[in-house]
Amino acid sequence: DTGVSQDPRHKITKRGQNVTFRCDPISEHNRLYWYRQTLGQGPEFLTYFQNEAQLEKSRLLSDRFSAERPKGSFSTLEIQRTEQGDSAMYLCASSFNSRTEAFFGQGTRLTVV
Amino acid sequence: SQQGEEDPQALSIQEGENATMNCSYKTSINNLQWYRQNSGRGLVHLILIRSNEREKHSGRLRVTLDTSKKSSSLLITASRAADTASYFCATVLNRDDKIIFGKGTRLHILP
């Protein structure tokens, strides 16, 4: 399967714990995006990368969120000291370059208890 | 932040009828895209229309773009039960090439 894959698919964690999600984009894609989606809402932009360079991080994100894309391949999103408000679906997408369509993974559903 | 606003928020129609969804946005775009999301799943890209295009077709889908009004519409003809899903418009901004999504239209096709 050469689509975008995300791991894990589901994560339940206790408040205050750190969590890390992984995204493997389509291999030849230079762009990688992270979004957060809550029930009944559209995907909310978190951050994006061009190869290994992080272009922007949403001003809505606290310093507890960090993302990396070492060597321009897979990406990780880490949330430190999780809060109940972090419960959401975290979506990763990749695209061949800027200004083309994005391909999404199935998402990681985070539940903070 | 979200740039696009879809209208209506929810739509229920009979199978076989046409469904029309609208999207308005605020800032200059390079292109506009439409995506579908089935419940609990990832998003699937449907169609992309560039800022210098006015209309585009793909199968039963027809998309229009009016840059002077900063709006787009998605028409699904001869709807089927399998079209039941949420539909999102997404704009690619000229200033930074980010893909920004709207809140979506929830479409329900009645048998």
Side-chain angles (χ1 to χ4, degrees):
Chain A
D1 182 25
T2 56
V4 178
S5 65
Q6 293 187 245
D7 182 69
R9 292 290 307 279
H10 303 273
K11 178 71 176 180
I12 300 174
T13 191
K14 292 184 179 179
R15 191 173 50 189
Q17 297 293 304
N18 299 344
V19 293
T20 300
F21 309 141
R22 177 180 170 121
C23 171
D24 287 272
I26 295 172
S27 59
E28 64 268 26
H29 283 187
N30 297 318
R31 275 281 169 107
L32 186 145
Y33 304 85
W34 283 100
Y35 294 89
R36 177 173 62 190
Q37 187 179 29
T38 54
L39 194 63
Q41 299 296 312
E44 176 191 7
F45 170 82
L46 296 181
T47 189
Y48 69 143
F49 293 83
Q50 178 70 28
N51 298 313
E52 67 275 11
Q54 186 173 20
L55 299 181
E56 184 180 328
K57 178 180 170 183
S58 171
R59 287 169 291 176
L60 300 175
L61 277 191
S62 75
D63 292 341
R64 297 184 297 106
F65 287 73
S66 63
E68 292 183 336
R69 193 183 181 196
K71 302 177 184 178
S73 55
F74 71 93
S75 177
T76 58
L77 177 69
E78 180 182 18
I79 309 174
Q80 296 182 329
R81 304 180 303 282
T82 52
E83 302 172 356
Q84 285 191 320
D86 296 332
S87 295
M89 176 77 86
Y90 289 83
L91 296 166
C92 175
S94 69
S95 64
F96 181 69
N97 56 30
S98 65
R99 305 184 173 185
T100 58
E101 66 269 30
F103 294 82
F104 279 79
Q106 292 300 302
T108 294
R109 183 170 295 283
L110 173 66
T111 303
V112 182
V113 297
Chain B
S1 62
Q2 290 178 302
Q3 133 115 315
E5 285 258 349
E6 287 92 337
D7 173 60
Q9 291 186 346
L11 179 62
S12 292
I13 60 171
Q14 294 293 137
E15 193 168 12
E17 292 182 339
N18 296 342
T20 299
M21 290 158 266
N22 302 296
C23 170
S24 60
Y25 58 91
K26 298 173 185 173
T27 56
S28 173
I29 63 170
N30 174 270
N31 66 72
L32 186 145
Q33 305 176 24
W34 286 90
Y35 290 79
R36 183 186 70 221
Q37 185 178 37
N38 292 90
S39 180
R41 308 291 297 272
L43 282 78
V44 174
H45 179 263
L46 295 176
I47 196 164
L48 181 155
I49 185 165
R50 302 198 184 281
S51 59
N52 60 354
E53 297 175 311
R54 292 296 166 258
E55 188 170 312
K56 208 160 182 182
H57 297 255
S58 176
R60 293 184 295 113
L61 306 180
R62 172 178 167 254
V63 168
T64 61
L65 178 64
D66 186 335
T67 53
S68 66
K69 295 182 179 178
K70 292 187 169 58
S71 68
S72 173
S73 69
L74 171 67
L75 169 68
I76 304 174
T77 60
S79 63
R80 305 168 180 170
D83 295 329
T84 293
S86 291
Y87 291 81
F88 298 94
C89 75
T91 49
V92 176
L93 308 182
N94 266 329
R95 65 169 186 257
D96 54 20
D97 294 344
K98 283 189 308 197
I99 304 177
I100 302 296
F101 286 81
K103 294 182 179 181
T105 293
R106 274 146 284 285
L107 175 65
H108 185 57
I109 307 301
L110 303 168

